[in-house]
Amino acid sequence: MAPTGLYQHLSSYFKSTNEEAPPPLSIALVGCLSIIYTIIYVLPFYLSPTTRPSPALSRDAPSVIRARIRFVSVSVALSTIATIYILSAYAHASQLEILRLLGCYPISVTEIVQSLLLTALLFAGPLFEKALVQGRWRDWIIGQALQQTLGSWIGWRNYVAGPITEEILFRSLLVPLHLLTPISPTRVVLFTPLYFGIAHIHHFYEFVLTHPHTPWAPSIIRSIIQFTYTTIFGWYATFLFIRTGNIVAVTLAHTFCNWAGLPRVWGKVEPRVAMGGPVIRGKEDGGGIQANNRGATWYWSMVYYVLLVLGALGFRQYLWILTESPRALAKVA
């Protein structure tokens, strides 16, 4: 008999009761779907000359970005249709249960704010560097930074299309499917981000195409590093999604992390030196620290690393508190 109330099923199953029906989906089925979803998300990047980079065509070219956004949008739409069908036909989920499993309803603004606050704690140091040392706080207040960021196709890819399509596929679609298998929620947090990490390995092939004269060793190391930090972020994003059941919160956290970049963990924090390269400002611009104020470098560096450590400690302290939600998809041990 079909389970009545999918959330009751999940709740009782993860409490290890013996009376509840077995999980409606098999690990083999969900594993095959996960592989298929990942392939159809990445493969179109290289099937068409409009999306395939080359030494003469960068992945950052507007035409390439537009074409890739179109392809991944179609891929995610097809994967969403397939997932909805499976949840309905195999798990016998109602329309409301499907929306809840996908993290689309209900959406709590409080959870979004708490998730962003928690994520920002990890970047307390970089936020200090960007806002005060580089003097970007004025641009943030007047909205100039947002306008400049979203005024290019690179910005749309990195902060809008990328986070939305990736979080829908790797969190909203794959996580609920895995939760309906015998895999525990804790293992779902640990293992499903591997698909997310593997999906970024294609950048190795992309880098080789666009840099044919670069030795393979640096390219492999670059890809290993990228796989590592995308998988680590995937752990956090999956944990956040299961704990809050809110795909909007996870997507905005993804956008924030893309914008903030990897925090520096060594080196001096110097005025007007951005993590992605130098930011040129005129002497009449009072928004930043003057470049000739070299004596303050040690001070900014000390404050940065203190904030980085305190932020990490705060993240650990409030990880469970700020992700607590009555809309959690499952209980993570």
Side-chain angles (χ1 to χ4, degrees), residues 12-299:
S12 57
Y13 172 70
F14 291 124
K15 289 179 181 177
S16 301
T17 61
N18 296 323
E19 300 177 356
E20 182 64 27
L25 302 180
S26 68
I27 297 176
L29 172 63
V30 172
C32 288
L33 286 172
S34 301
I35 294 173
I36 293 172
Y37 287 2
T38 303
I39 291 175
I40 66 173
Y41 184 88
V42 174
L43 191 60
F45 291 172
Y46 303 98
L47 293 180
S48 170
T50 61
T51 59
R52 185 171 58 249
S54 67
L57 185 63
S58 170
R59 67 185 293 267
D60 294 331
S63 61
V64 174
I65 295 176
R66 289 194 298 268
R68 286 188 168 192
I69 290 177
R70 288 194 295 268
F71 275 112
V72 298
S73 298
V74 172
S75 298
V76 170
L78 293 175
S79 299
T80 301
I81 293 172
T83 300
I84 291 174
Y85 170 77
I86 291 170
L87 292 177
S88 176
Y90 289 82
H92 306 283
S94 66
Q95 294 179 354
L96 182 59
E97 287 172 336
I98 291 175
L99 289 176
R100 292 181 67 183
L101 283 170
L102 299 183
C104 300
Y105 177 85
I107 298 296
S108 169
V109 177
T110 301
E111 291 166 357
I112 295 174
V113 173
Q114 289 179 340
S115 298
L116 287 175
L117 177 61
L118 177 65
T119 307
L121 285 174
L122 278 177
F123 295 88
L127 286 174
F128 163 77
E129 181 180 9
K130 289 175 180 289
L132 296 181
V133 181
Q134 297 173 11
R136 297 184 185 180
W137 63 272
R138 291 184 178 178
D139 295 339
W140 297 350
I141 292 176
I142 65 178
Q144 181 179 352
L146 179 63
Q147 183 179 8
Q148 292 176 347
T149 298
L150 299 183
S152 68
W153 280 103
I154 294 177
W156 274 99
R157 177 195 63 195
N158 293 345
Y159 309 123
V160 180
I164 290 176
T165 57
E166 289 179 355
E167 292 310 316
I168 289 177
L169 180 66
F170 295 104
R171 249 62 70 181
S172 180
L173 302 184
L174 292 190
V175 170
L177 291 177
H178 283 79
L179 288 176
L180 294 174
T181 69
I183 303 176
S184 69
T186 302
R187 291 186 176 182
V188 172
V189 171
L190 294 176
F191 294 132
T192 56
L194 294 177
Y195 297 110
F196 181 65
I198 291 172
H200 287 78
I201 291 181
H202 77 94
H203 289 300
F204 167 75
Y205 177 64
E206 188 175 71
F207 186 80
V208 170
L209 284 178
T210 56
H211 300 78
H213 302 296
T214 301
W216 275 49
S219 303
I220 293 174
I221 294 174
R222 180 178 180 272
S223 296
I224 292 174
I225 294 174
Q226 189 171 38
F227 171 79
T228 300
Y229 72 71
T230 52
T231 301
I232 292 174
F233 171 78
W235 289 336
Y236 172 59
T238 304
F239 175 86
L240 192 62
F241 180 64
I242 293 178
R243 290 274 295 172
T244 64
N246 191 325
I247 191 60
V248 176
V250 181
T251 302
L252 290 178
H254 189 155
T255 296
F256 179 87
C257 290
N258 282 1
W259 169 79
L262 289 175
R264 68 162 76 228
V265 293
W266 67 82
K268 297 179 181 180
V269 175
E270 297 181 334
R272 302 192 306 157
V273 178
M275 295 174 67
V279 176
I280 306 300
R281 292 181 181 271
K283 291 184 178 180
E284 70 280 0
D285 187 353
I289 314 289
Q290 294 300 318
N292 59 4
N293 191 12
R294 300 300 183 184
T297 298
W298 69 270
Y299 172 77

